Amino acid sequence: MKLFVFDLDFTIWNAGGTWCDSTHPPFAWKEGKLKDQENRWIYLYPEVKEILSELKAEGHMIAIASRTNAPTIAKQLLHMFEIDHFFDAREIYPGSKLTHFDRIMKELKVAKNDIVFFDDEYRNVEDIRSIGIESVLVTNGLTKDLVKPYLTRTIARDLPQSEAC
Ligand SMILES: [Mg+2]
């Protein structure tokens, strides 16, 4: 079992080319697209729901570490996208992500070696790497390819037949 920790803006979702703190709620679904009051289209990266389901199916834990200035908006979006139930911990507020991780590790009682973190901002990746946690820079939204190396089942499947047993 591992703990997967994800950032929100530009990792899990794209809030219409900006951060969710710059959107204008309330949000509403229009023709299958989530829009804010300025008709900005906010979307999950295409593989996110599948990734979250797969992690849960493998028995992993999932947490959010977001330093957004608009926690209320972020929580609304988690609800609107119907992904809120996937997360075992949600640390959503401004500040250094070191604080977010400190709280996540205490809450979920997971050791640093069993955690992997995904974020689109290098400063966050750098902060979390500095305390010895595996951290992955996300350049174009979260994808299966980024998560795959950490999925035990996928790794086992990828082994040649002779080595698998
Ligand atoms: Mg981000």
Side-chain angles (χ1 to χ4, degrees):
M1 189 273 300
K2 266 192 175 293
L3 167 62
F4 289 75
V5 184
F6 298 112
D7 166 53
L8 292 175
D9 285 318
F10 294 109
T11 296
I12 290 279
W13 62 53
N14 182 321
T18 185
W19 296 277
C20 73
D21 65 2
S22 303
T23 61
H24 292 84
F27 306 104
W29 288 98
K30 290 179 189 165
E31 291 162 4
K33 292 180 174 180
L34 190 65
K35 300 280 186 79
D36 74 352
Q37 290 301 303
E38 294 185 330
N39 211 33
R40 183 181 274 122
W41 177 29
I42 301 145
Y43 60 91
L44 289 180
Y45 288 104
E47 297 178 346
V48 164
K49 274 198 176 177
E50 224 178 308
I51 290 166
L52 296 174
S53 301
E54 176 72 12
L55 293 179
K56 279 287 141 181
E58 281 205 2
H60 298 297
M61 288 198 284
I62 313 177
I64 296 166
S66 164
R67 36 188 295 195
T68 181
N69 290 313
T72 311
I73 293 181
K75 285 169 192 168
Q76 277 175 37
L77 289 174
L78 290 169
H79 177 73
M80 297 294 285
F81 285 127
E82 297 180 347
I83 57 171
D84 197 37
H85 64 280
F86 285 113
F87 301 101
D88 301 284
R90 302 160 191 79
E91 297 294 330
I92 306 175
Y93 42 80
S96 164
K97 292 211 177 180
L98 296 170
T99 311
H100 297 64
F101 270 76
D102 198 37
R103 292 186 184 163
I104 288 170
M105 286 188 287
K106 277 185 188 133
E107 190 182 339
L108 299 178
K109 299 181 174 58
V110 178
K112 287 178 182 176
N113 285 349
D114 294 324
I115 305 176
V116 57
F117 170 53
F118 298 81
D119 197 299
D120 68 294
E121 287 189 55
Y122 190 69
R123 58 179 173 168
N124 295 328
V125 166
E126 213 173 23
D127 276 354
I128 302 310
R129 268 185 196 155
S130 78
I131 54 167
I133 291 175
E134 175 89 17
S135 303
V136 179
L137 185 67
V138 176
T139 49
N140 204 7
L142 189 68
T143 60
K144 288 187 200 173
D145 281 347
L146 286 174
V147 173
K148 202 175 172 184
Y150 306 99
L151 287 177
T152 43
R153 197 188 293 170
T154 311
I155 292 164
R157 254 202 313 262
D158 286 350
L159 283 174
Q161 202 63 30
S162 54
E163 289 174 37
C165 27

